[in-house]
Amino acid sequence: MKLSLDNRPELFDNALGSADDLQEYLRVRNAQGAVLHSHENVGQMLLNEGVVDKATLQEALQRKRRDPRMKLADIVDELGASSAELTHLALAHRLNLPIVNLDKIPPDPAAAALLPVDLARRYRALPIMFRDKRLIVALEDPLDLEAVDTIQFITNRRVDTVVARWQQITEALRRFYPSEMDASSSDLFSPAERENETERDEQTTAIEEAERLAQEKPIVRLVNGIISDAVRRLASDIHIRPLRDEAELLYRIDGQLVAIRKFSIALLPAVVSRIKVLGRMNIAERRAPQDGQTRFSHGDHFVDLRISTMPTIFGESVVMRLLDSAIGLKSIGALGFLPVDQKRLIDQLGRTSGLILVTGPTGSGKSTTLYACLQLLKKGNNSIITIEDPVEFKIPGIAQVQVNKAAHLDFATAVRHILRHDPDVIMVGEIRDRETAKVAFESALTGHLVLSSLHTNDAAGAIARLIEMGVEPFLISATVRVIIAQRLMRVICAECKTPADIDPNVRQQLGVPEDLVLYHGTGCDACNKTGYRGRVASYEMIVTDDTIRHLIDERASRLQISTAAIKAGMVPFNGNTLRLVKEGVTTVEEYFRVILD
């Protein structure tokens, strides 16, 4: 005979029946939340509670190992030993979790509204009240850690769990969401009944559910909270990455990916759908990559978001690039150049023609340097036009053109048309090919100041790269005024900055005296436990003179050009990077990362 609550009425007869009793119970309870157990330990608990015998337990555990997704309580129910309801209540009793009577404790509507009804049904859970800054949630299954993690993620609150009968949770949901419960009653069917649906119907239902959830207030708050948190932490990118059984949220902070939290994979479609809604993307298309963009209000300014979704084997992956004009636009004085180099650059920006190049790998701050130059040039009443892919920051007073491949508007085509638009200064976002290089150099040669970027590892390497593209050396020597090669180094967090113990052999290798104190960050909340907060540029700058122009005409090697530039006053990468280490701006580890990169 299957055991039911009739066989153990005391389990529910002693249920807490008032909000005050529950608050007092939680106040004095030592353990917060459910205790983690292996399935075998849970089985022993069921034996001790008299819910199953050893033979039934052994068979139940074998089924559980074959299908880990099934809950032990449901397996015991199928075997006819005990109802799932009795099993859940017995486990709660064994774990010393409070059992509540929702017929006598009406849920707080403000608490219940934090969880979408679809997720409440899926996890058989309902937030019922607040306690200090925590959320009290009634669950049917006291060991459903996935439900707890998901609710904590979506509400951004720590959760205290209590146990209630599913029948009472369902009735409470019907009171709060009568139309949604009636419209989605099929979700209450047993797994066996749902297996009769076709795959196409399941996919359609999943899309419809994702669309509905994307408009739910908790999902809206969740996505807004993720973006706000990323802006607050000064992240440049948000990554939402699906795994087999869960999804993870990561931020790129100071160039490094930082794991923030993980959440249930079941929540992923709703989150992705909400992001697609924001980016004006096709919410029903899940099999192809999509791009979108939106603007997010944060405090007294706006943050532009570029959104990319990509289908993977476990679900859609999302990356959002954050472009915060409040921190993205810097003046030349804030870039970290040495005073002598800053003066040389400003002098060259005062010329009416020529080419200024900024080089480095992706994510090295090239755009930031170019925008800083544009802001200085804007003060001189210049007609400035940019061609970018994409336009990262909108600058008033500058005509910015977005590359549009669908309209056959690439860098080279745009520059040709811009020359008829009477510009004084042209910024070409990137020299990618021979045709773009040709029109950029011709523009610089015919009375325009041109700014652009290039992907090379060092300043002297830019010249070799241009020659490889087919630019004649005499054009390079006649037009190039400045080449800046740069990397971004992480700055030691000021909140946890402490002296570092550096190996004497490393000091000798770097030429750092023993009495010079070097620093590192120990990691704190302000820096997300990384020891770094913010970044600064390490760079080398070639300002062409007669000697360097002659070497270019002679097709000299990169080493010869670099040696001549050092003799003319250029501080190479390793020198600038080591200076930042000695000044306590960054660490020895960052020095080796940049130099060996």
Side-chain angles (χ1 to χ4, degrees):
M1 181 183 69
K2 180 187 291 188
L3 299 178
S4 67
L5 192 55
D6 294 336
N7 303 98
R8 296 284 303 276
E10 76 281 0
L11 289 178
F12 196 72
D13 288 346
N14 297 327
L16 298 172
S18 75
D20 291 340
D21 290 345
L22 176 56
Q23 294 276 14
E24 179 63 17
Y25 188 105
L26 292 172
R27 187 183 67 81
V28 300
R29 191 178 64 162
N30 293 328
Q32 296 292 327
V35 181
L36 286 170
H37 291 275
S38 68
H39 297 308
E40 287 73 18
N41 286 335
V42 173
Q44 186 62 48
M45 291 162 61
L46 296 180
L47 285 174
N48 293 336
E49 287 289 324
V51 173
V52 296
D53 56 30
K54 289 186 177 180
T56 303
L57 176 60
Q58 185 175 4
E59 184 176 353
L61 291 175
Q62 287 177 350
R63 290 195 184 186
K64 176 70 177 174
R65 282 189 285 268
R66 289 196 297 268
D67 188 356
R69 294 172 299 178
M70 290 193 68
K71 293 184 178 182
L72 193 59
D74 293 333
I75 298 174
V76 171
D77 194 338
E78 288 183 6
L79 292 174
S82 169
S83 68
E85 179 182 61
L86 176 60
T87 302
H88 289 140
L89 293 175
L91 288 173
H93 177 259
R94 199 74 185 177
L95 290 167
N96 197 31
L97 283 172
I99 299 172
V100 298
N101 187 340
L102 292 185
D103 288 341
K104 298 180 179 179
I105 304 179
D108 182 346
L114 292 177
L115 187 66
V117 62
D118 303 73
L119 294 181
R121 288 197 309 273
R122 179 180 298 162
Y123 290 113
R124 298 182 171 236
L126 179 66
I128 58 174
M129 66 178 67
F130 300 99
R131 177 175 176 267
D132 299 327
K133 295 182 179 180
R134 302 173 77 92
L135 183 66
I136 301 173
V137 177
L139 291 170
E140 181 200 34
D141 182 357
L143 296 180
D144 194 344
L145 299 181
E146 179 184 328
V148 175
D149 289 342
T150 300
I151 295 169
Q152 288 186 150
F153 177 75
I154 198 171
T155 63
N156 200 27
R157 288 176 179 266
R158 295 299 301 273
V159 165
D160 277 336
T161 56
V162 300
V163 176
R165 299 174 67 180
W166 171 233
Q167 179 182 358
Q168 292 187 348
I169 294 175
T170 303
E171 290 173 354
L173 287 171
R174 288 189 185 279
R175 290 196 299 272
F176 285 111
Y177 310 100
S179 60
E180 286 89 342
M181 290 295 291
D182 293 340
S184 303
S185 59
S186 61
D187 284 351
L188 302 178
F189 292 167
S190 67
E193 291 171 309
R194 285 199 298 267
E195 285 178 356
N196 295 326
E197 297 179 357
T198 65
E199 182 179 352
R200 182 173 180 179
D201 289 340
E202 290 176 350
Q203 291 174 349
T204 302
T205 301
I207 292 173
E208 290 173 350
E209 283 189 1
E211 290 175 343
R212 183 170 63 253
L213 277 173
Q215 303 298 337
E216 291 271 6
K217 287 184 179 179
I219 295 294
V220 172
R221 284 196 298 266
L222 170 61
V223 173
N224 289 350
I226 289 173
I227 298 171
S228 294
D229 184 44
V231 174
R232 181 181 60 81
R233 298 194 195 205
L234 305 181
S236 62
D237 299 87
I238 300 170
H239 289 242
I240 298 175
R241 182 186 300 168
L243 306 176
R244 180 182 297 277
D245 300 314
E246 57 191 359
E248 57 181 351
L249 172 67
L250 307 98
Y251 296 158
R252 187 173 294 280
I253 301 174
D254 298 330
Q256 304 294 314
L257 276 179
V258 178
I260 302 299
R261 64 178 74 169
K262 293 182 179 179
F263 58 95
S264 169
I265 194 70
L267 196 59
L268 181 67
V271 172
V272 174
S273 295
R274 178 58 192 169
I275 293 170
K276 286 182 176 179
V277 169
L278 291 175
R280 296 181 290 277
M281 300 151 74
N282 184 357
I283 197 172
E285 178 56 74
R286 298 182 175 186
R287 297 170 297 177
Q290 293 190 66
D291 295 318
Q293 58 185 11
T294 187
R295 174 169 281 194
F296 182 81
S297 175
H298 183 77
D300 58 351
H301 66 285
F302 290 97
V303 178
D304 290 313
L305 277 76
R306 294 208 311 266
I307 303 169
S308 172
T309 65
M310 182 76 66
T312 74
I313 58 173
F314 298 126
E316 287 185 280
S317 173
V318 179
V319 175
M320 291 183 279
R321 168 64 56 89
L322 279 64
L323 302 171
D324 189 348
S325 59
I327 61 173
L329 293 175
K330 295 183 178 180
S331 66
I332 286 182
L335 295 178
F337 290 138
L338 289 169
V340 61
D341 288 332
Q342 182 176 317
K343 182 180 183 304
R344 295 164 78 192
L345 176 58
I346 292 174
D347 288 345
Q348 294 300 322
L349 287 170
R351 304 284 290 268
T352 58
S353 65
L355 180 65
I356 294 176
L357 279 174
V358 182
T359 77
T362 301
S364 60
K366 298 187 296 296
S367 295
T368 301
T369 300
L370 289 172
Y371 278 125
C373 294
L374 289 178
Q375 292 197 95
L376 179 67
L377 290 166
K378 189 179 69 169
K379 297 177 182 178
N381 264 349
N382 291 301
S383 172
I384 304 173
I385 305 178
T386 73
I387 311 104
E388 305 173 60
D389 185 21
V391 174
E392 294 192 5
F393 296 104
K394 299 176 178 64
I395 307 177
I398 294 178
Q400 295 174 273
V401 178
Q402 168 77 52
V403 167
N404 188 342
K405 293 180 180 177
H408 306 289
L409 181 64
D410 56 16
F411 284 115
T413 304
V415 172
R416 290 195 190 92
H417 286 280
I418 282 172
L419 291 175
R420 306 187 193 111
H421 220 68
D422 190 29
D424 298 306
V425 179
I426 302 171
M427 188 187 89
V428 181
E430 183 183 345
I431 296 177
R432 296 177 177 174
D433 50 47
R434 179 176 183 176
E435 189 176 6
T436 304
K438 179 184 176 185
V439 294
F441 275 86
E442 288 176 353
S443 302
L445 197 61
T446 56
H448 303 89
L449 183 64
V450 179
L451 284 69
S452 191
S453 70
L454 196 65
H455 284 277
T456 62
N457 290 326
D458 57 14
I463 296 181
R465 177 76 181 111
L466 290 169
I467 293 175
E468 285 177 4
M469 283 186 178
V471 182
E472 292 295 336
F474 76 87
L475 274 178
I476 300 174
S477 63
T479 56
V480 172
R481 307 294 185 197
V482 179
I483 304 174
I484 303 169
Q486 62 184 54
R487 302 283 192 284
L488 290 179
M489 302 185 66
R490 292 181 292 173
V491 174
I492 301 171
C493 174
E495 300 294 327
C496 59
K497 184 176 181 178
T498 57
D501 185 16
I502 306 300
D503 186 281
N505 292 328
V506 174
R507 283 182 176 270
Q508 183 178 3
Q509 180 182 351
L510 297 178
V512 177
E514 290 290 335
D515 58 347
L516 180 63
V517 179
L518 303 181
Y519 295 89
H520 72 151
T522 56
C524 64
D525 291 337
C527 62
N528 301 291
K529 309 297 183 183
T530 63
Y532 300 95
R533 186 169 175 83
R535 290 189 288 179
V536 66
S538 175
Y539 70 97
E540 60 183 22
M541 180 188 296
I542 292 178
V543 179
T544 56
D545 57 15
D546 290 340
T547 301
I548 293 175
R549 281 192 283 270
H550 175 72
L551 289 172
I552 294 172
D553 287 336
E554 296 295 319
R555 296 180 181 262
S557 68
R558 180 184 62 82
L559 180 60
Q560 289 174 305
I561 294 173
S562 182
T563 301
I566 292 172
K567 288 181 180 179
M570 181 185 83
V571 180
F573 260 131
N574 59 346
N576 258 321
T577 308
L578 186 58
R579 170 181 61 84
L580 294 171
V581 174
K582 291 179 178 179
E583 291 176 355
V585 175
T586 190
T587 63
V588 171
E589 290 80 7
E590 277 293 281
Y591 170 85
F592 283 111
R593 183 184 70 83
V594 169
I595 295 304
L596 298 176
D597 191 6

